[in-house]
Amino acid sequence: MTIEAATLSTRRRWAILVCALVAAMTTTAATSGFAYVIPALHDGGMSLSSAATLAAVPTVGLTVAIIAWGLALDRYGERRILLVSILITLAGTIGAVVAVATDAGTVALGAALLVGGLGSGAANGASGRIVVGFFPADQRGTAMGVRQMAQPLGIAVLALTVPVIAATAGVAAALAVPVAVTAIGLLAVYFGIVDPTLPTSGPAAAPAGNPYRSSGYLWRIHGFSVLLVIGQSMLWTFVPAWLITGHGWTPLSAGVLVTVTQVFAAGGRIAAGRASDLWGSRMRPVRVIAVAAALTMAALAVADQFGSVLAPAIMVLATIATVADNGLAFTAIAEWAGPSWSGRALGVQNTAQYVTIAVTTPILGTMIERLGYPAVFGIVAAAPILALPLIPRDPRPREEPVDVPGER
């Protein structure tokens, strides 16, 4: 099912985007949901490194399949592939609940988490075609910022519900939250998403050829994104345990703070996207964000080392800074790659980031056990500084903006 961009009303275009946002939350549920039962597992005797290793399994599954999902998105369109992939994700999340409820063991649990991760890749790499196909160039940063709210909003839902349910009703009940999020995402795709018709000629037609061969622009985006995602992963995965086991917060109070933080982070992604539209640049805001991420992570390390009461507030600022760049990178990739390559290019982007997350999560867990949180916060603060030289200049666009009547 495809539709011409010019036939869509403004309301319908944004409604499709919101449905894509809800669909993308299924990836967050499948890949990050387990991390929020780490405090309960740790209290039950599991080591932090072992729990972190299990939490990385869905990311491994996502990483293995995400480029293949991107190719399928480019070839068959987003709606059809999203329906298939989210059904697989739903099977995996249900399997995780069953494995824990029946005490089937870590192998069965790991297998279910792996299936959920394998299915989640399409939702995470989708929406490039929707943003480029349905929105003019001077709105795409904002539109992608809205779409990229999926991760922080998904984290907010998980943080507010999963630790509390795990502490009061058990891990199996807590893992039902990702099942519910995935089911809602499936309904959003079925009832709300259509694909834009791809023009075969004219200024909005897809660029010819492999976009990776024309310059190093995409490769540099992948490079700096890998470094910037380390801080994001660190905060998303370990902040609940940092608050609960390190600072004595209750699961409820920790969940509320993380939820509020992620709502602000979601707003930060929209603000970054809007800034890129107003500045006419995707990369200039990224440089500002990288510096802010380094400064706030370093400040968090110092505050936590000295037991400052300001540490949680600084954590909020650091979280906002470490997630704000993601939508800008996605927008730049989708624009440069074009609608016939955006799925694969975003698949490469996500693969690079999720390989980094899968590798660094167990390492960070081990480092925290040996060195403590302040030292690891300080080490992670160096990653955005290393990313700065990799951030490219904005190129001349490979395509002209899609002309949507009534939007100028």
Side-chain angles (χ1 to χ4, degrees):
M1 180 189 301
T2 62
I3 191 170
E4 294 282 350
T7 66
L8 285 180
S9 66
T10 298
R11 178 177 297 180
R12 176 66 171 136
R13 209 172 327 117
W14 285 99
I16 293 171
L17 186 67
V18 170
C19 288
L21 181 157
V22 176
M25 289 176 67
T26 65
T27 299
T28 305
T31 58
S32 300
F34 192 82
Y36 287 86
V37 300
I38 287 178
L41 294 172
H42 191 53
D43 289 343
M46 183 179 288
S47 70
L48 187 61
S49 58
S50 297
T53 299
L54 267 178
V57 169
T59 303
V60 173
L62 183 152
T63 303
V64 168
I66 196 167
I67 293 180
W69 283 123
L71 178 61
L73 289 165
D74 289 336
R75 181 169 296 179
Y76 300 108
E78 298 196 348
R79 184 177 188 275
R80 184 186 306 177
I81 297 304
L82 284 173
L83 289 173
V84 173
S85 67
I86 295 177
L87 279 171
I88 297 172
T89 305
L90 185 60
T93 54
I94 292 174
V97 173
V98 173
V100 173
T102 61
D103 198 21
T106 56
V107 173
L109 175 58
L113 293 171
L114 183 65
V115 170
L118 287 169
S120 68
N124 198 59
S127 304
R129 181 178 293 191
I130 287 174
V131 169
V132 173
F134 286 146
F135 290 86
D138 60 0
Q139 292 183 6
R140 290 177 191 160
T142 306
M144 189 63 85
V146 171
R147 156 59 179 81
Q148 293 301 98
M149 288 171 61
Q151 284 182 309
L153 290 182
I155 293 295
V157 171
L158 296 171
L160 186 62
T161 57
V162 173
V164 176
I165 296 173
T168 57
V171 172
L175 292 179
V177 174
V179 175
V181 173
T182 304
I184 293 170
L186 184 64
L187 293 174
V189 172
Y190 184 81
F191 290 107
I193 289 184
V194 294
D195 288 300
T197 300
L198 299 183
T200 57
S201 62
N210 186 334
Y212 286 94
R213 294 176 180 172
S214 58
S215 77
Y217 180 66
L218 292 182
W219 293 114
R220 292 183 67 174
I221 291 177
H222 300 328
F224 78 69
S225 296
V226 160
L227 290 166
L228 292 181
V229 82
I230 295 173
Q232 174 183 311
S233 174
M234 165 76 179
L235 294 174
W236 282 7
T237 303
F238 294 105
V239 158
W242 174 66
L243 291 171
I244 295 168
T245 64
H247 290 266
W249 288 45
T250 67
L252 177 60
S253 59
V256 168
L257 179 61
V258 173
T259 298
V260 171
T261 300
Q262 295 303 325
V263 170
F264 283 127
R269 286 189 166 180
I270 295 177
R274 185 57 182 159
S276 76
D277 288 337
L278 293 175
W279 293 0
S281 169
R282 309 300 180 203
M283 294 297 105
R284 283 172 55 202
V286 173
R287 292 187 183 91
V288 175
I289 290 166
V291 172
L295 292 176
T296 52
M297 286 296 296
L300 178 58
V302 173
D304 198 37
Q305 176 65 40
F306 290 98
S308 172
V309 296
L310 296 177
I314 296 172
M315 180 276 295
V316 173
L317 297 177
T319 300
I320 295 170
T322 56
V323 306
D325 67 286
N326 196 270
L328 300 176
F330 263 57
T331 306
I333 291 169
E335 288 179 326
W336 183 256
S340 64
W341 265 86
S342 64
R344 279 165 285 184
L346 292 174
V348 173
Q349 168 79 354
N350 285 315
T351 298
Q353 289 188 307
Y354 279 108
V355 165
T356 303
I357 292 171
V359 170
T360 59
T361 296
I363 293 173
L364 290 171
T366 301
M367 290 174 64
I368 290 168
E369 289 181 325
R370 295 181 178 180
L371 304 176
Y373 282 102
V376 180
F377 287 144
I379 293 169
V380 171
I385 299 299
L386 296 175
L388 281 170
L390 295 177
I391 301 173
R393 294 181 179 273
D394 291 282
R396 297 183 62 182
R398 285 163 58 94
E399 62 166 330
E400 296 299 322
V402 176
D403 187 16
V404 181
E407 291 299 319
R408 297 292 181 185

